[in-house]
Amino acid sequence: MTEGAPLVLFYWGGSQLDWFDGVDAQEQWQTVRPHVITEQPRRKGQIEWTAGRWEDEEGRPLLLLTGHC
């Protein structure tokens, strides 16, 4: 399955932006999903990700995760 929204990872500490589509997006999502913030703080030093739904310039959805420590 290669359908779904692109996944964009932005790690503000390093000013790094990574774009993933299709299978790559699904694989990366499986890696970062356990680190998406809920209501419980993580141990100090681990990267936490906040999630947001954005749209590209043509109105197609994408998932943006912003990483921070």
Coordinates of all heavy atoms in Angstrom, one line a residue:
M1 N 0.8 -1.2 0.0 CA 0.0 0.0 0.0 C 0.9 1.2 0.0 O 1.7 1.4 0.9 CB -0.9 0.0 1.2 CG -1.8 1.1 1.3 SD -2.9 0.9 2.8 CE -3.7 2.5 2.7
T2 N 0.7 2.1 -1.0 CA 1.5 3.3 -1.1 C 0.7 4.6 -1.0 O 1.2 5.7 -1.2 CB 2.3 3.3 -2.4 OG1 1.4 3.3 -3.5 CG2 3.3 2.2 -2.5
E3 N -0.6 4.4 -0.7 CA -1.4 5.6 -0.5 C -1.3 6.2 0.9 O -0.9 5.5 1.8 CB -2.9 5.2 -0.8 CG -3.1 4.8 -2.3 CD -4.5 4.4 -2.5 OE1 -5.4 4.8 -1.8 OE2 -4.8 3.7 -3.5
G4 N -1.8 7.4 1.0 CA -1.7 8.1 2.3 C -1.1 9.4 2.2 O -0.5 9.8 1.2
A5 N -1.2 10.1 3.3 CA -0.6 11.5 3.3 C 0.9 11.4 3.4 O 1.4 10.6 4.1 CB -1.2 12.3 4.4
P6 N 1.6 12.3 2.8 CA 3.1 12.4 3.0 C 3.3 12.8 4.5 O 2.5 13.4 5.2 CB 3.5 13.6 2.1 CG 2.5 13.7 1.1 CD 1.2 13.3 1.8
L7 N 4.5 12.4 4.9 CA 4.9 12.7 6.3 C 6.1 13.6 6.2 O 7.1 13.4 5.5 CB 5.3 11.4 7.0 CG 5.9 11.5 8.4 CD1 4.9 12.0 9.4 CD2 6.4 10.1 8.9
V8 N 6.0 14.7 7.0 CA 7.1 15.7 7.0 C 7.6 15.8 8.4 O 6.8 16.0 9.4 CB 6.6 17.1 6.5 CG1 7.8 18.1 6.6 CG2 6.1 17.0 5.1
L9 N 8.9 15.6 8.6 CA 9.5 15.7 9.9 C 10.4 16.9 10.0 O 11.2 17.1 9.1 CB 10.4 14.5 10.2 CG 9.7 13.1 10.2 CD1 10.7 12.0 10.5 CD2 8.6 13.1 11.2
F10 N 10.1 17.8 11.0 CA 10.9 19.0 11.2 C 11.5 18.9 12.6 O 10.8 18.9 13.6 CB 10.1 20.2 11.0 CG 10.9 21.5 11.3 CD1 11.9 21.9 10.5 CD2 10.6 22.2 12.4 CE1 12.6 23.1 10.8 CE2 11.3 23.4 12.7 CZ 12.3 23.8 11.9
Y11 N 12.9 18.8 12.6 CA 13.5 18.8 13.9 C 14.1 20.2 14.1 O 15.1 20.6 13.5 CB 14.6 17.8 14.0 CG 15.4 17.8 15.3 CD1 14.7 17.5 16.5 CD2 16.7 18.1 15.4 CE1 15.3 17.6 17.7 CE2 17.3 18.2 16.6 CZ 16.6 17.9 17.8 OH 17.3 17.9 19.0
W12 N 13.5 21.0 15.0 CA 13.8 22.4 15.1 C 15.2 22.7 15.6 O 15.9 23.7 15.3 CB 12.8 23.2 15.9 CG 12.7 22.8 17.3 CD1 11.9 21.9 17.9 CD2 13.5 23.3 18.4 NE1 12.1 21.8 19.2 CE2 13.2 22.6 19.6 CE3 14.6 24.2 18.5 CZ2 13.8 22.8 20.8 CZ3 15.2 24.4 19.7 CH2 14.8 23.8 20.9
G13 N 15.7 21.7 16.4 CA 17.1 21.9 17.0 C 18.2 21.9 16.0 O 19.2 22.5 16.1
G14 N 17.9 21.2 14.9 CA 18.9 21.1 13.8 C 18.5 21.8 12.5 O 19.1 21.7 11.5
S15 N 17.3 22.5 12.6 CA 16.7 23.1 11.4 C 16.7 22.1 10.2 O 17.0 22.5 9.1 CB 17.5 24.4 11.0 OG 17.4 25.3 12.1
Q16 N 16.3 20.9 10.5 CA 16.3 19.9 9.5 C 14.8 19.5 9.1 O 14.0 19.3 10.0 CB 17.0 18.6 10.0 CG 17.0 17.5 9.1 CD 17.8 16.3 9.6 OE1 18.6 16.5 10.5 NE2 17.6 15.1 9.1
L17 N 14.6 19.4 7.8 CA 13.2 19.1 7.3 C 13.4 17.9 6.4 O 14.2 17.9 5.5 CB 12.7 20.3 6.5 CG 11.3 20.1 6.0 CD1 10.3 20.1 7.1 CD2 11.0 21.2 5.0
D18 N 12.6 16.8 6.7 CA 12.6 15.6 5.9 C 11.2 15.3 5.4 O 10.3 15.3 6.2 CB 13.2 14.4 6.7 CG 14.6 14.5 7.1 OD1 15.4 14.9 6.3 OD2 14.9 14.4 8.3
W19 N 11.1 14.9 4.1 CA 9.8 14.6 3.5 C 9.8 13.2 3.1 O 10.7 12.7 2.5 CB 9.7 15.5 2.2 CG 8.4 15.3 1.5 CD1 8.1 14.3 0.6 CD2 7.3 16.2 1.5 NE1 6.9 14.4 0.1 CE2 6.3 15.6 0.6 CE3 7.0 17.4 2.1 CZ2 5.1 16.2 0.3 CZ3 5.8 18.0 1.8 CH2 4.8 17.4 1.0
F20 N 8.7 12.4 3.5 CA 8.6 11.0 3.1 C 7.2 10.8 2.4 O 6.2 11.3 2.9 CB 8.6 10.2 4.4 CG 9.9 10.3 5.2 CD1 10.0 11.2 6.2 CD2 11.0 9.5 4.9 CE1 11.2 11.4 6.9 CE2 12.2 9.6 5.6 CZ 12.3 10.6 6.6
D21 N 7.2 10.0 1.4 CA 6.0 9.6 0.6 C 5.9 8.1 0.6 O 6.8 7.4 0.8 CB 6.1 10.1 -0.8 CG 5.8 11.6 -1.0 OD1 4.9 12.1 -0.4 OD2 6.6 12.2 -1.8
G22 N 4.6 7.7 0.4 CA 4.3 6.3 0.2 C 4.8 5.3 1.3 O 4.6 5.6 2.4
V23 N 5.5 4.3 0.8 CA 6.0 3.3 1.8 C 7.0 3.9 2.7 O 7.1 3.5 3.9 CB 6.6 2.1 1.0 CG1 7.3 1.1 1.9 CG2 5.6 1.4 0.2
D24 N 7.8 4.8 2.2 CA 8.8 5.5 3.1 C 8.1 6.2 4.2 O 8.6 6.2 5.4 CB 9.7 6.4 2.3 CG 10.6 5.7 1.3 OD1 10.9 4.5 1.6 OD2 11.0 6.4 0.4
A25 N 7.0 6.9 3.9 CA 6.2 7.6 5.0 C 5.7 6.6 6.0 O 5.7 6.9 7.2 CB 5.1 8.4 4.3
Q26 N 5.2 5.5 5.5 CA 4.6 4.5 6.4 C 5.7 3.9 7.4 O 5.5 3.8 8.6 CB 4.0 3.4 5.7 CG 2.7 3.8 4.9 CD 2.2 2.7 4.0 OE1 2.8 1.7 3.8 NE2 1.0 3.0 3.5
E27 N 6.9 3.6 6.8 CA 8.0 3.1 7.6 C 8.4 4.1 8.6 O 8.7 3.8 9.8 CB 9.1 2.6 6.7 CG 8.8 1.4 5.9 CD 9.8 1.1 4.9 OE1 10.8 1.8 4.7 OE2 9.6 0.0 4.2
Q28 N 8.6 5.3 8.2 CA 9.1 6.4 9.1 C 8.0 6.6 10.2 O 8.4 6.8 11.4 CB 9.4 7.7 8.4 CG 10.1 8.7 9.2 CD 11.5 8.3 9.6 OE1 12.2 7.6 8.9 NE2 11.9 8.7 10.8
W29 N 6.7 6.6 9.9 CA 5.7 6.8 10.9 C 5.8 5.7 11.9 O 5.6 6.0 13.1 CB 4.3 6.8 10.2 CG 3.2 6.8 11.2 CD1 2.3 5.7 11.4 CD2 2.8 7.8 12.1 NE1 1.4 6.1 12.4 CE2 1.7 7.4 12.8 CE3 3.3 9.1 12.3 CZ2 1.1 8.2 13.8 CZ3 2.7 9.9 13.3 CH2 1.6 9.4 14.0
Q30 N 6.0 4.5 11.6 CA 6.1 3.4 12.5 C 7.3 3.6 13.5 O 7.2 3.3 14.7 CB 6.3 2.0 11.8 CG 5.1 1.6 11.0 CD 3.9 1.4 11.9 OE1 3.9 0.9 13.0 NE2 2.8 1.9 11.4
T31 N 8.3 4.3 13.0 CA 9.5 4.6 13.8 C 9.2 5.7 14.8 O 9.6 5.6 16.0 CB 10.7 5.0 12.9 OG1 11.0 3.9 12.1 CG2 11.9 5.3 13.8
V32 N 8.6 6.8 14.4 CA 8.4 8.0 15.2 C 7.1 7.9 16.0 O 7.0 8.6 17.1 CB 8.5 9.3 14.5 CG1 9.8 9.5 13.8 CG2 7.4 9.4 13.5
R33 N 6.1 7.1 15.6 CA 4.8 7.1 16.3 C 4.9 6.9 17.8 O 4.2 7.6 18.5 CB 3.9 6.0 15.7 CG 2.6 5.8 16.4 CD 1.8 7.1 16.4 NE 0.6 7.0 17.1 CZ 0.4 7.5 18.4 NH1 1.4 8.1 19.0 NH2 -0.7 7.4 19.0
P34 N 5.7 6.0 18.3 CA 5.8 5.9 19.8 C 6.3 7.1 20.5 O 6.1 7.2 21.7 CB 6.8 4.7 20.0 CG 6.8 4.0 18.7 CD 6.5 5.0 17.7
H35 N 6.9 8.1 19.8 CA 7.5 9.2 20.4 C 6.6 10.5 20.2 O 7.0 11.6 20.6 CB 8.9 9.5 19.9 CG 9.8 8.3 20.1 ND1 10.3 8.0 21.3 CD2 10.2 7.3 19.2 CE1 11.0 6.9 21.2 NE2 10.9 6.5 19.9
V36 N 5.4 10.3 19.6 CA 4.5 11.5 19.5 C 3.9 11.7 20.8 O 3.5 10.8 21.5 CB 3.4 11.2 18.4 CG1 2.3 12.3 18.5 CG2 4.0 11.0 17.0
I37 N 4.0 13.0 21.3 CA 3.5 13.4 22.6 C 2.1 13.1 22.8 O 1.2 13.5 22.0 CB 3.8 14.9 22.8 CG1 5.3 15.1 22.8 CG2 3.3 15.3 24.2 CD1 5.7 16.6 22.9
T38 N 1.8 12.5 24.0 CA 0.4 12.4 24.4 C 0.3 13.4 25.6 O 0.7 14.6 25.5 CB 0.1 11.0 24.8 OG1 0.9 10.6 25.9 CG2 0.1 10.1 23.7
E39 N -0.1 13.0 26.7 CA -0.1 13.9 27.9 C 0.9 13.5 28.9 O 1.0 14.2 29.9 CB -1.5 13.8 28.6 CG -2.6 14.3 27.7 CD -4.0 14.2 28.3 OE1 -4.1 14.1 29.6 OE2 -5.0 14.3 27.6
Q40 N 1.7 12.5 28.6 CA 2.8 12.1 29.5 C 4.1 12.6 29.1 O 4.5 12.3 27.9 CB 2.8 10.6 29.6 CG 1.5 10.0 30.1 CD 1.6 8.5 30.1 OE1 2.5 7.9 29.6 NE2 0.5 7.8 30.5
P41 N 4.9 13.3 29.9 CA 6.2 13.8 29.5 C 7.1 12.6 29.4 O 7.0 11.6 30.1 CB 6.6 14.7 30.6 CG 5.7 14.4 31.8 CD 4.5 13.8 31.2
R42 N 8.1 12.7 28.5 CA 9.1 11.6 28.3 C 10.3 11.9 29.2 O 10.5 13.0 29.8 CB 9.6 11.7 26.8 CG 8.5 11.6 25.8 CD 8.1 10.1 25.6 NE 7.2 10.1 24.5 CZ 6.2 9.2 24.5 NH1 6.1 8.3 25.4 NH2 5.4 9.2 23.5
R43 N 11.1 10.9 29.3 CA 12.4 11.1 30.1 C 13.2 12.1 29.4 O 13.2 12.3 28.2 CB 13.2 9.8 30.1 CG 12.5 8.7 31.0 CD 13.4 7.5 31.0 NE 13.6 7.0 29.6 CZ 13.9 5.8 29.3 NH1 14.2 4.9 30.2 NH2 14.1 5.4 28.1
K44 N 14.0 12.8 30.2 CA 14.8 13.9 29.7 C 15.8 13.4 28.7 O 16.4 12.3 28.9 CB 15.6 14.6 30.8 CG 16.2 15.8 30.5 CD 16.7 16.6 31.7 CE 17.2 17.9 31.3 NZ 17.2 18.9 32.3
G45 N 16.0 14.1 27.6 CA 16.9 13.7 26.6 C 16.3 13.0 25.4 O 17.0 12.9 24.3
Q46 N 15.1 12.5 25.5 CA 14.5 11.8 24.3 C 13.8 12.9 23.5 O 13.2 13.9 24.0 CB 13.4 10.8 24.8 CG 14.0 9.6 25.4 CD 12.9 8.6 25.7 OE1 11.8 8.9 26.1 NE2 13.3 7.3 25.7
I47 N 13.8 12.6 22.2 CA 13.1 13.5 21.2 C 11.6 13.2 21.3 O 11.2 12.1 21.3 CB 13.6 13.3 19.8 CG1 15.0 13.7 19.7 CG2 12.7 14.2 18.8 CD1 15.6 13.5 18.3
E48 N 10.8 14.3 21.5 CA 9.4 14.2 21.4 C 8.9 14.8 20.2 O 9.5 15.8 19.6 CB 8.8 14.9 22.6 CG 9.2 14.3 24.0 CD 8.6 15.1 25.1 OE1 8.3 16.3 25.0 OE2 8.4 14.5 26.2
W49 N 7.8 14.4 19.6 CA 7.2 14.9 18.4 C 5.8 15.4 18.6 O 5.0 14.7 19.3 CB 7.2 13.8 17.3 CG 8.6 13.3 17.0 CD1 9.2 12.2 17.5 CD2 9.4 13.9 16.0 NE1 10.5 12.1 16.9 CE2 10.6 13.1 16.0 CE3 9.3 14.9 15.1 CZ2 11.7 13.4 15.1 CZ3 10.4 15.2 14.2 CH2 11.6 14.4 14.3
T50 N 5.5 16.5 18.2 CA 4.1 17.0 18.2 C 3.6 16.9 16.7 O 4.4 17.1 15.8 CB 4.0 18.5 18.6 OG1 4.9 19.3 17.9 CG2 4.4 18.6 20.1
A51 N 2.4 16.6 16.6 CA 1.8 16.3 15.3 C 0.8 17.3 14.9 O 0.1 17.9 15.7 CB 1.1 14.9 15.3
G52 N 0.7 17.6 13.6 CA -0.3 18.5 13.0 C -0.6 18.2 11.6 O 0.2 17.6 10.9
R53 N -1.8 18.4 11.2 CA -2.2 18.2 9.8 C -2.1 19.5 9.1 O -2.6 20.5 9.5 CB -3.7 17.7 9.8 CG -4.2 17.4 8.4 CD -5.7 17.1 8.4 NE -6.2 16.8 7.2 CZ -6.5 17.6 6.2 NH1 -6.4 18.9 6.4 NH2 -7.0 17.2 5.0
W54 N -1.4 19.4 8.0 CA -1.2 20.6 7.1 C -1.7 20.2 5.7 O -2.0 19.1 5.5 CB 0.3 21.0 7.1 CG 0.8 21.7 8.2 CD1 0.4 21.5 9.5 CD2 1.8 22.7 8.3 NE1 1.2 22.3 10.4 CE2 2.0 23.1 9.6 CE3 2.6 23.2 7.3 CZ2 3.0 24.0 10.0 CZ3 3.6 24.2 7.7 CH2 3.7 24.6 9.0
E55 N -1.7 21.2 4.9 CA -2.0 21.0 3.4 C -0.9 21.6 2.6 O -0.3 22.6 2.9 CB -3.3 21.6 3.1 CG -4.5 21.0 3.8 CD -5.8 21.6 3.4 OE1 -5.8 22.7 2.7 OE2 -6.9 21.1 3.8
D56 N -0.7 20.9 1.4 CA 0.3 21.4 0.5 C -0.3 22.5 -0.3 O -1.5 22.9 -0.1 CB 1.0 20.3 -0.4 CG 0.0 19.7 -1.4 OD1 -1.1 20.2 -1.6 OD2 0.4 18.7 -2.0
E57 N 0.4 23.1 -1.2 CA -0.1 24.3 -2.0 C -1.3 23.9 -2.9 O -2.0 24.8 -3.3 CB 1.0 24.9 -2.9 CG 1.6 24.0 -3.9 CD 2.7 23.0 -3.4 OE1 3.1 23.2 -2.2 OE2 3.1 22.1 -4.1
E58 N -1.6 22.6 -3.1 CA -2.7 22.2 -3.9 C -3.9 21.7 -3.0 O -4.8 21.1 -3.5 CB -2.3 21.1 -4.9 CG -1.3 21.7 -5.9 CD -0.8 20.6 -6.9 OE1 -1.4 19.5 -6.9 OE2 0.2 20.9 -7.6
G59 N -3.7 21.8 -1.7 CA -4.8 21.5 -0.8 C -4.8 20.0 -0.3 O -5.7 19.5 0.3
R60 N -3.8 19.2 -0.7 CA -3.7 17.8 -0.3 C -3.1 17.8 1.1 O -2.2 18.5 1.5 CB -2.7 17.1 -1.3 CG -3.3 17.0 -2.7 CD -2.3 16.3 -3.6 NE -1.1 17.1 -3.6 CZ -0.3 17.2 -4.7 NH1 -0.6 16.5 -5.8 NH2 0.7 18.0 -4.7
P61 N -3.6 16.8 1.9 CA -3.2 16.8 3.3 C -1.8 16.2 3.5 O -1.4 15.4 2.6 CB -4.2 15.8 4.0 CG -4.7 15.0 2.9 CD -4.7 15.9 1.6
L62 N -1.1 16.6 4.5 CA 0.2 16.0 4.9 C 0.2 16.0 6.4 O -0.4 16.8 7.0 CB 1.4 16.6 4.2 CG 1.6 18.1 4.4 CD1 2.5 18.4 5.7 CD2 2.3 18.7 3.2
L63 N 1.0 15.2 7.0 CA 1.2 15.1 8.4 C 2.6 15.7 8.7 O 3.6 15.2 8.2 CB 1.2 13.6 8.9 CG 1.3 13.4 10.4 CD1 0.2 14.1 11.2 CD2 1.3 11.9 10.7
L64 N 2.6 16.7 9.6 CA 3.8 17.4 10.0 C 4.1 17.0 11.4 O 3.3 17.2 12.3 CB 3.7 18.9 9.8 CG 4.9 19.7 10.4 CD1 6.1 19.5 9.5 CD2 4.5 21.2 10.5
L65 N 5.3 16.5 11.7 CA 5.7 16.2 13.0 C 6.9 17.1 13.3 O 7.9 17.2 12.6 CB 6.2 14.8 13.2 CG 5.1 13.7 12.9 CD1 5.7 12.3 13.1 CD2 3.9 13.9 13.8
T66 N 6.8 17.8 14.5 CA 7.9 18.7 14.9 C 8.6 18.1 16.1 O 8.0 17.8 17.1 CB 7.3 20.1 15.3 OG1 6.6 20.7 14.1 CG2 8.5 21.1 15.6
G67 N 9.9 17.9 15.9 CA 10.7 17.2 17.0 C 11.4 18.2 17.9 O 11.9 19.2 17.4
H68 N 11.4 17.9 19.2 CA 12.0 18.8 20.2 C 12.4 17.9 21.4 O 11.9 16.8 21.6 CB 11.1 19.9 20.6 CG 9.7 19.5 20.9 ND1 9.3 19.1 22.2 CD2 8.6 19.3 20.2 CE1 8.1 18.8 22.2 NE2 7.6 18.9 21.0
C69 N 13.4 18.4 22.1 CA 13.8 17.7 23.3 C 13.2 18.3 24.6 O 12.8 19.4 24.6 CB 15.3 17.8 23.5 SG 16.2 17.0 22.2

